[in-house]
Amino acid sequence: MDGFVALYIFMLAAFTGYEVISRVPVILHTPLMSGSNFVHGVVLVGGMIALGQAETPLEQAIGFVAVLLGAANAAGGYVVTERMLAMFKSKEKN
């Protein structure tokens, strides 16, 4: 029965996330996504914990992929934030 509860929670979270994100105005999308870099950091820490406690080669592979994707997601978020902030900087005339 625990598997069905986990599946139910996952489906509910996916539906809620879709509904929330689809209602965000376009002008707020980039600032909200840059603010979600904190969440990506938490995912990265969770992947490192999972990798540290892995015992079988399959668990190690899954943990490694989680750390790799979490790090890429966090780094990409910061790159996007940096580009967004560069758009709003004033251009100095010499």
Side-chain angles (χ1 to χ4, degrees):
M1 191 64 174
D2 290 333
F4 287 116
V5 172
L7 180 63
Y8 175 73
I9 291 171
F10 175 76
M11 290 172 54
L12 185 61
F15 176 74
T16 303
Y18 176 78
E19 288 299 317
V20 168
I21 295 299
S22 66
R23 288 176 172 37
V24 172
V26 175
I27 196 159
L28 291 178
H29 188 263
T30 304
L32 287 176
M33 290 306 292
S34 67
S36 70
N37 284 334
F38 170 76
V39 175
H40 302 309
V42 172
V43 169
L44 181 58
V45 171
M48 287 192 279
I49 291 172
L51 181 59
Q53 295 180 354
E55 295 177 0
T56 67
L58 178 62
E59 291 173 349
Q60 291 173 347
I62 292 172
F64 176 76
V65 169
V67 170
L68 185 70
L69 293 177
N73 202 359
Y78 285 111
V79 169
V80 168
T81 301
E82 205 48 46
R83 288 184 67 193
M84 178 196 69
L85 292 175
M87 291 182 346
F88 295 105
K89 287 185 180 176
S90 62
K91 297 178 182 177
E92 296 180 21
K93 294 181 181 181
N94 292 330

